[in-house]
Amino acid sequence: MGKLFGTDGVRGVANTELTCEMAMRIGMAVASVLTQNKSKKAKILIGKDTRLSSDMLEGALVAGICSVGVDVISLGVVPTPAVAYLVKKYKADAGVMISASHNSFEFNGIKIFSAEGYKLPDDIEAQIELIVLGETTLNIENIKYSDIGRRSYKENAVDDYIEHIITTINGDLKGLKVAFDCSNGSASRTASTLFSKLGVECVMLNDTPNGVNINDNCGSVHIENLIDYVKSHNLDLGIAFDGDADRCLAVDDIGNIIDGDFIMAICAKALNENGMLNKNTVVGTVMTNMGFNRFCTDSKLNFVSTKVGDRYVLEEMLKEGYNFGGEQSGHIIFLDYSTTGDGQLTAVQLLNILKNKGKKLSQVSNLMKKFPQVMVNVKVSNEGKLKFCTDEEIQNVIEKINKEFVSIDSKENSGRIVVRVSGTEPLVRIMLEGEDLDKITSLANEVAQVVKERLS
């Protein structure tokens, strides 16, 4: 992680941490680094979510990009995976998405995609970061007034993205009654059209964004209301997206939360049965529940773990030739159809499995037993985030708990601890997992107290 870039782009409070000046410099840097040595006029796509600050930051990005002689195509409000798909379809040189994903509305972020639709590797982000921070000189004196970039608009961008998602399955999804929580975000622009075209009997929730209500007590990070709605209205299931619709979670017909691990298990099993799971392997992260590991072992599937972040899942998939992976949070990558996590694509694949099997979600999700998992987030300063890895007291208590798990129960995979700095928020995330809920809760609170004392 760099000074600006976290696990999912640049992120901060809009107009305070993520300012117009910074956005303009990011635009200049992205255009300079990703379009250098182009023999033709380069172009960059820009999409955005529904936050109040997205228009402001888009204007700054456009100014920065055009100032170095690169054209901009504005897509308007779209999901993040739409930018990743359309950058390749439209033969653009890069794509930029303005979104802070699941964060509340005061935050915003900038995510960057290559011409192939992939998130940038660390070394390219580092080049951009040096320019933004002024540590590398950016020479734009040769860009004459006649060479500056132009801005245009792509009115049918949403339609092109929706049609692509529809082509990923054969047939339709008629007969399913589903509630979709759009989190008052990007899915508000696409979900109703997409799922209605596929024949789903749709109930749309939280699809009226006003600039400040994105992720506000709704969507995949606040799924409680969707649970109540599915149960009280006798629906087949519910789907909850986050603010930029690059991930989703589900609620089954009896009100259980079906998180990314369960969705991956269901989809991996179906892909494997159809001979579509490359190398018999699923890629997850260190946060993937131990129950998923057990599922893979029982199903004779291979499981590969990476650092947290769908970009690291993708890097492993590309490196080794795998085509399916994801995260517990609902970022799931179907590499045959998409170059990044896509909540609506995931929902379509899940619904298609249910229709083909003729079963309820509650009937197919029991193939995995989830281990109890406790997550505690401790708010820390930016300086605290930097000190985390070198603080001896914190590392000692983590090591002590690792040894305690061994002494509690010597069985394989009886428990584990993962403590990490968030790549998107000023937090240290503490996760413990094991068969004894009371024990792991106590241990998680013990670690949290040490982190608070040392880093808050």
Side-chain angles (χ1 to χ4, degrees):
M1 238 184 314
K3 296 176 182 177
L4 292 178
F5 285 90
T7 54
D8 201 12
V10 179
R11 199 168 296 192
V13 177
N15 218 31
T16 303
E17 298 168 338
L18 182 53
T19 62
C20 288
E21 180 182 9
M22 180 184 289
M24 184 175 72
R25 288 192 64 81
I26 290 173
M28 296 168 71
V30 168
S32 298
V33 171
L34 298 184
T35 68
Q36 58 186 329
N37 303 322
K38 297 288 181 181
S39 58
K40 60 180 179 60
K41 188 76 168 179
K43 59 185 178 183
I44 292 177
L45 307 185
I46 295 183
K48 59 188 175 184
D49 70 15
T50 60
R51 289 164 212 272
L52 184 65
S53 58
S54 290
D55 290 346
M56 174 189 77
L57 293 173
E58 182 183 23
L61 280 163
V62 170
I65 293 168
C66 289
S67 74
V68 296
V70 176
D71 289 343
V72 172
I73 301 176
S74 289
L75 306 177
V77 173
V78 293
T80 289
V83 176
Y85 168 69
L86 294 172
V87 70
K88 191 171 182 180
K89 178 178 176 62
Y90 296 159
K91 295 180 172 57
D93 298 283
V96 178
M97 178 67 184
I98 304 167
S99 175
S101 191
H102 61 281
N103 293 147
S104 51
F105 92 95
E106 68 270 20
F107 289 88
N108 217 325
I110 297 173
K111 305 181 184 185
I112 305 164
F113 295 93
S114 70
E116 292 75 35
Y118 297 119
K119 291 180 180 177
L120 303 183
D122 292 341
D123 60 328
I124 301 298
E125 285 187 347
Q127 292 181 46
I128 293 169
E129 192 169 275
L130 289 174
I131 294 172
V132 176
L133 296 176
E135 296 176 24
T136 296
T137 302
L138 180 62
N139 183 9
I140 61 170
E141 294 177 359
N142 295 328
I143 306 298
K144 300 178 182 178
Y145 60 85
S146 57
D147 296 328
I148 60 175
R150 295 174 178 268
R151 179 187 192 176
S152 61
Y153 299 86
K154 195 73 172 177
E155 303 295 342
N156 63 335
V158 164
D159 297 330
D160 287 342
Y161 168 70
I162 288 172
E163 288 306 313
H164 165 64
I165 300 299
I166 289 173
T167 64
T168 65
I169 63 170
N170 295 318
D172 57 47
L173 300 173
K174 291 179 180 177
L176 292 170
K177 295 187 294 183
V178 185
F180 296 95
D181 185 340
C182 297
S183 203
N184 291 313
S186 293
S188 303
R189 181 92 190 276
T190 53
S192 179
T193 301
L194 168 62
F195 292 100
S196 295
K197 279 191 171 187
L198 285 168
V200 178
E201 187 177 328
C202 301
V203 179
M204 307 309 299
L205 306 174
N206 301 304
D207 64 338
T208 53
N210 61 14
V212 301
N213 61 357
I214 187 171
N215 300 317
D216 185 13
N217 197 33
C218 59
S220 61
V221 290
H222 299 287
I223 204 167
E224 303 81 13
N225 293 332
L226 181 61
I227 293 171
D228 293 338
Y229 195 93
V230 169
K231 290 167 64 178
S232 62
H233 289 76
N234 195 32
L235 299 178
D236 292 316
L237 70 153
I239 297 288
F241 303 110
D242 64 337
D244 64 338
D246 65 350
R247 67 184 185 181
C248 77
L249 300 180
V251 174
D252 71 15
D253 44 293
I254 56 179
N256 295 316
I257 296 176
I258 308 300
D259 66 17
D261 290 340
F262 281 98
I263 295 173
M264 282 202 300
I266 294 166
C267 294
K269 185 173 186 294
L271 287 169
N272 191 47
E273 288 172 347
N274 294 323
M276 297 174 63
L277 186 65
N278 285 7
K279 298 186 178 181
N280 229 32
T281 299
V282 183
V283 182
T285 76
V286 294
M287 298 298 288
T288 300
N289 193 274
M290 287 163 52
F292 187 83
N293 295 50
R294 294 269 179 95
F295 154 75
C296 287
T297 299
D298 294 342
S299 304
K300 294 182 172 54
L301 301 178
N302 303 313
F303 175 72
V304 176
S305 178
T306 74
K307 293 188 292 185
V308 173
D310 64 328
R311 59 180 294 186
Y312 300 114
V313 173
L314 177 63
E315 284 177 7
E316 183 68 19
M317 293 168 69
L318 293 172
K319 176 182 161 189
E320 300 295 339
Y322 307 133
N323 68 337
F324 181 68
E327 297 187 281
Q328 187 181 79
S329 61
H331 283 121
I332 298 177
I333 303 172
F334 292 83
L335 196 53
D336 292 337
Y337 310 120
S338 178
T339 55
T340 190
D342 189 331
Q344 289 171 106
L345 170 62
T346 300
V348 167
Q349 300 303 311
L350 179 62
L351 295 178
N352 191 48
I353 291 168
L354 297 181
K355 177 166 183 184
N356 289 340
K357 289 184 176 294
K359 292 183 177 180
K360 299 285 190 180
L361 183 53
S362 60
Q363 295 173 315
V364 301
S365 62
N366 59 4
L367 46 76
M368 177 187 130
K369 177 186 175 184
K370 185 175 182 177
F371 275 60
Q373 196 174 72
V374 174
M375 176 79 77
V376 179
N377 293 324
V378 180
K379 191 167 185 177
V380 299
S381 64
N382 287 329
E383 293 79 9
K385 289 176 73 170
L386 295 174
K387 292 177 182 177
F388 166 74
C389 289
T390 57
D391 189 283
E392 286 190 16
E393 287 194 33
I394 294 174
Q395 301 309 317
N396 286 340
V397 73
I398 294 171
E399 181 59 26
K400 184 194 94 172
I401 289 172
N402 272 322
K403 291 178 180 177
E404 193 166 345
F405 272 128
V406 174
S407 65
I408 291 170
D409 189 342
S410 60
K411 290 190 303 181
E412 184 181 7
N413 295 332
S414 63
R416 65 189 182 112
I417 177 172
V418 178
V419 185
R420 66 182 183 90
V421 172
S422 170
T424 58
E425 297 177 80
L427 300 172
V428 168
R429 301 190 188 278
I430 301 157
M431 188 280 287
L432 275 91
E433 192 173 79
E435 296 177 320
D436 187 336
L437 179 59
D438 291 338
K439 184 69 177 181
I440 62 175
T441 300
S442 174
L443 293 173
N445 290 331
E446 179 183 343
V447 179
Q449 186 58 40
V450 176
V451 173
K452 285 177 187 176
E453 291 171 357
R454 302 293 296 173
L455 302 183
S456 292

